[in-house]
């Protein structure tokens, strides 16, 4: 099934790209977009829900669970290459950081060697504190 770059999808993609280190629930995403886009260019809330689901399935957006809840937050993925390394999420500020590819491969190899367990990097997020929040 072909997916097209509609004006609404472009607005959403541009917003997520400009805020690439932040995660948003769909509600937060819509509220923040409302502050900067005119009504005529702002996608409707139901459109944002539909597009975020579609973009997640396409791998454009990464979905992670919000701390200790069943709610999800979304963040623009780091392109095609994003699926080949681990991610680290700060439990204070919510930033999702990309682990270096070589470090990711080394860590996953160690886990497999010591535990005979294969980590799926597309779904794995390490939770801790970023250097800004740890200070």
């Amino acid at each position: 099934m072909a997916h097209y770059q509609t004006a609404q999808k472009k607005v959403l993609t541009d917003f997520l790209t400009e805020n690439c280190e932040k995660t948003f629930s769909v509600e937060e995403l819509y509220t923040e977009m409302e502050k900067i886009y005119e009504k005529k260019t702002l996608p409707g809330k139901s459109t944002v829900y539909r597009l975020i689901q579609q973009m997640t399935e396409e791998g454009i957006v990464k979905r992670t669970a919000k701390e200790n809840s069943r709610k999800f937050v979304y963040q623009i993925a780091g392109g095609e290459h994003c699926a080949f390394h681990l991610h680290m999420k700060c439990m204070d500020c919510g930033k999702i950081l990309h682990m270096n590819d070589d470090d990711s491969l080394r860590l996953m190899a160690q886990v497999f060697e010591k535990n005979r367990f294969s980590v799926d990097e597309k779904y794995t997020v390490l939770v801790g504190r970023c250097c800004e929040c740890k200070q």
Side-chain angles (χ1 to χ4, degrees):
M1 179 177 193
H3 296 286
Y4 301 99
Q5 178 73 352
T6 63
Q8 294 170 324
K9 187 174 181 181
K10 181 169 178 11
V11 166
L12 182 56
T13 303
D14 290 348
F15 178 82
L16 288 168
T17 301
E18 290 167 16
N19 296 279
C20 63
E21 288 192 348
K22 297 179 184 174
T23 59
F24 301 93
S25 68
V26 175
E27 288 292 326
E28 293 166 337
L29 186 57
Y30 184 79
T31 300
E32 291 301 311
M33 289 175 61
E34 242 181 343
K35 294 176 185 175
I36 61 173
Y37 293 105
E38 296 177 19
K39 283 285 187 196
K40 65 181 179 179
T41 58
L42 179 69
K45 194 181 289 188
S46 61
T47 301
V48 173
Y49 274 100
R50 182 179 48 77
L51 286 173
I52 208 75
Q53 177 66 35
Q54 176 188 1
M55 292 167 70
T56 300
E57 290 170 3
E58 293 172 357
I60 298 168
V61 169
K62 189 165 194 62
R63 180 180 88 163
T64 56
K66 196 166 185 168
E67 303 83 35
N68 300 322
S69 76
R70 291 184 177 189
K71 295 184 179 185
F72 294 102
V73 290
Y74 301 88
Q75 179 181 25
I76 194 83
E80 294 175 14
H81 196 63
C82 197
F84 301 107
H85 56 246
L86 298 171
H87 294 85
M88 303 165 289
K89 180 177 181 178
C90 179
M91 56 193 198
D92 290 340
C93 69
K95 280 184 192 173
I96 294 184
L97 306 164
H98 304 271
M99 185 182 282
N100 173 286
D101 288 356
D102 292 336
D103 293 341
S104 293
L105 289 173
R106 234 183 336 271
L107 183 58
M108 290 187 295
Q110 284 180 334
V111 168
F112 184 76
E113 184 180 314
K114 294 181 189 252
N115 301 288
R116 293 292 176 223
F117 185 82
S118 180
V119 175
D120 187 337
E121 63 273 17
K122 288 181 283 195
Y123 301 103
T124 304
V125 177
L126 302 173
V127 179
R129 285 191 174 80
C130 69
C131 60
E132 290 91 17
C133 292
K134 191 166 181 153
Q135 293 177 357

